[in-house]
Amino acid sequence: MARLNIAPTKSNLLAMKEQLSISQNGYDLLEQKREILVQELMRMVAKVKLLEDDIATATERAYPAFKRTLMADGSDQLKRISHDVHYEFEMHEKQVTIAGMSFSSLDMTIPSKQLFYSMIGTYANTDDMIGQFFELLSLLTQMASIRTIVWRLAGEVKKTQRRVNALSKHVIPQTLETKNYIENVLEEKERENIFVLKALKKRNS
């Protein structure tokens, strides 16, 4: 690691010691932050895996329910029902605080199930199908929200890791080498000064 090209003076030595202390403290803080972020990221990833299992289970229920409804009610009946069904889905941005950091995410409010069609001429399969897809939609909404946080959290981990690497592999070694260089030069000058003073004292005695 190449040292900084600065003059070997006492003032620069003090500056290097101060910079080294700041860099080492910064490294410790960033390393702690990185560890916390990684822990939170792993926790969120575990949530994603659980949701993936729930979504797979809900999908396995929802689509067979649709097939049963289609066979029982017929496509024409389902088309008539679909024209009358109108739900409003509210989507808004929310802030989630993780490890002292705020992350933006999306949240969607699933509306309550309503009856938009007459019970006459419909079957229980229709209600069951709608209920199954509402559950699936709710899980997919949760997944979208958590994945958004996971992506941004992973980005923050990478950014923090780059800063940790910059300090540990570049800034701290370079500052330390420069400090040691200045100390060696100043010590050598001090030895030379002592030698000169002794020589002068001997000659004048």
Side-chain angles (χ1 to χ4, degrees):
M1 177 61 65
R3 61 178 173 80
L4 295 170
N5 186 23
I6 61 175
T9 63
K10 289 185 178 180
S11 61
N12 283 338
L13 177 59
L14 291 175
M16 287 300 97
K17 287 182 177 180
E18 183 179 0
Q19 180 174 326
L20 183 61
S21 176
I22 292 173
S23 298
Q24 289 173 334
N25 288 336
Y27 171 82
D28 292 339
L29 291 174
L30 284 173
E31 183 62 22
Q32 292 174 15
K33 176 183 176 181
R34 186 194 66 82
E35 291 177 359
I36 293 173
L37 289 174
V38 168
Q39 291 175 358
E40 291 295 334
L41 179 59
M42 297 305 295
R43 186 176 65 84
M44 299 299 288
V45 168
K47 282 188 176 182
V48 168
K49 292 185 179 298
L50 291 175
L51 269 176
E52 286 176 344
D53 293 339
D54 291 341
I55 288 172
T57 301
T59 301
E60 291 173 357
R61 291 197 299 261
Y63 283 95
F66 173 73
K67 290 180 180 179
R68 289 194 299 271
T69 303
L70 186 61
M71 293 178 62
D73 296 357
S75 60
D76 291 339
Q77 176 72 343
L78 288 183
K79 286 180 181 178
R80 286 194 294 271
I81 292 174
S82 66
H83 289 314
D84 295 330
V85 175
H86 299 286
Y87 283 104
E88 295 292 335
F89 295 89
E90 296 182 2
M91 185 175 293
H92 60 275
E93 184 179 357
K94 67 177 181 180
Q95 297 296 317
V96 179
T97 301
I98 299 176
M101 304 179 64
S102 182
F103 295 90
S104 296
S105 181
L106 292 177
D107 192 23
M108 183 169 67
T109 303
I110 303 296
S112 301
K113 192 173 68 171
Q114 303 178 42
L115 184 64
F116 291 97
Y117 49 86
S118 172
M119 294 299 295
I120 302 175
T122 62
Y123 299 86
N125 289 324
T126 305
D127 288 336
D128 178 59
M129 176 194 67
I130 293 175
Q132 297 290 353
F133 274 96
F134 260 58
E135 180 182 353
L136 178 57
L137 182 59
S138 177
L139 291 171
L140 290 172
T141 302
Q142 295 176 48
M143 175 65 83
S145 178
I146 291 179
R147 279 189 180 275
T148 300
I149 297 173
V150 167
W151 291 332
R152 296 181 179 178
L153 194 57
E156 193 63 35
V157 169
K158 290 181 180 179
K159 184 170 68 175
T160 304
Q161 184 64 60
R162 285 195 297 267
R163 294 173 66 186
V164 168
N165 291 342
L167 284 172
S168 64
K169 297 180 180 179
H170 180 70
V171 176
I172 291 177
Q174 186 180 57
T175 305
L176 182 60
E177 185 171 343
T178 304
K179 179 186 80 71
N180 292 338
Y181 163 75
I182 295 176
E183 285 177 338
N184 291 334
V185 171
L186 292 178
E187 287 174 2
E188 183 62 26
K189 286 183 178 180
E190 184 68 22
R191 284 193 292 268
E192 290 177 359
N193 291 336
I194 292 174
F195 176 79
V196 171
L197 288 173
K198 284 183 177 179
L200 289 173
K201 184 177 181 181
K202 184 176 181 182
R203 188 173 64 180
N204 294 330
S205 61

